[in-house]
Amino acid sequence: MEYKIQHINEALRKQVVELITQQWGSPKIVSRGHIHYMNQLPGFVAIKDNGIIGLLTYHIAGDQCEIVSLDSLEKNRGLGSQLIKGVEKIAREKKCKRIWLITTNDNIRAIKFYQKRGYDLVALHQKAVEYARKIKPEIPLTGYEGIPIQHELEFEKRFKV
């Protein structure tokens, strides 16, 4: 493994916000109508040669842990899997009953990724991205492979506590 996984710390925060802005068009992410600000969320980074090549942010509320963002700049290297293991460990330590996330209908790669790691599709929030665009107009109309971005898909993994 040529990279190391570590918690986001204040020394990395500026790089994290820059990466999120580059990948997501803004330093904020909207899921289920809630705005997450990347300068405030905990998470993990994968570091290689002093640069971030992978990033996962999360938000814990009560007994639920939401994966807010997951980015891997080097595909098929195990970065995403390692980052997921880190957040699942935290969720268990915090006695979360559920870890969940939102992705959009165009993100076929994410849909496949999460299902392979034991996450179940539990909800389709039709036309939810139209509402999200009112909060974050930077969300494009089309996404991967020209697919119109319209719906939020909710995945979860439940834990026994």
Side-chain angles (χ1 to χ4, degrees):
M1 192 180 322
E2 306 164 17
Y3 58 89
K4 68 177 182 174
I5 304 289
Q6 68 180 64
H7 289 274
I8 295 172
N9 58 37
E10 288 315 304
L12 292 167
R13 186 65 63 184
K14 183 176 181 218
Q15 273 185 277
V16 166
V17 171
E18 287 172 359
L19 177 63
I20 288 291
T21 302
Q22 175 189 356
Q23 296 292 107
W24 298 76
S26 166
K28 63 185 177 187
I29 292 180
V30 178
S31 71
R32 300 300 310 126
H34 180 81
I35 302 171
H36 296 280
Y37 296 95
M38 291 302 108
N39 62 343
Q40 299 172 358
L41 290 179
F44 296 93
V45 290
I47 303 277
K48 176 181 171 185
D49 300 327
N50 296 319
I52 297 175
I53 59 168
L55 167 67
L56 181 146
T57 59
Y58 64 91
H59 174 74
I60 294 178
D63 63 359
Q64 307 214 2
C65 177
E66 178 184 4
I67 296 172
V68 177
S69 71
L70 174 59
D71 291 283
S72 176
L73 301 183
E74 295 186 8
K75 305 293 185 214
N76 302 314
R77 304 257 337 271
L79 296 173
S81 296
Q82 291 302 313
L83 293 165
I84 288 284
K85 286 178 186 175
V87 74
E88 288 179 355
K89 182 175 186 269
I90 294 287
R92 283 185 178 98
E93 288 171 0
K94 300 284 187 181
K95 307 268 190 263
C96 292
K97 293 180 181 173
R98 170 175 112 111
I99 188 166
W100 66 283
L101 64 109
I102 294 293
T103 191
T104 50
N105 62 284
D106 68 307
N107 199 343
I108 307 300
R109 187 178 185 102
I111 293 166
K112 180 173 74 170
F113 174 85
Y114 288 112
Q115 288 183 92
K116 283 180 151 184
R117 282 147 191 88
Y119 288 76
D120 292 320
L121 176 62
V122 294
L124 165 64
H125 304 286
Q126 289 190 302
K127 307 290 185 191
V129 180
E130 289 177 17
Y131 176 75
R133 279 193 191 94
K134 291 177 182 170
I135 300 169
K136 183 181 171 182
E138 301 91 344
I139 299 171
L141 295 174
T142 57
Y144 297 103
E145 303 198 29
I147 298 171
I149 303 172
Q150 300 174 315
H151 315 297
E152 292 181 343
L153 283 68
E154 184 174 335
F155 286 86
E156 75 172 15
K157 183 184 272 191
R158 292 208 167 257
F159 298 124
K160 290 184 175 36
V161 287

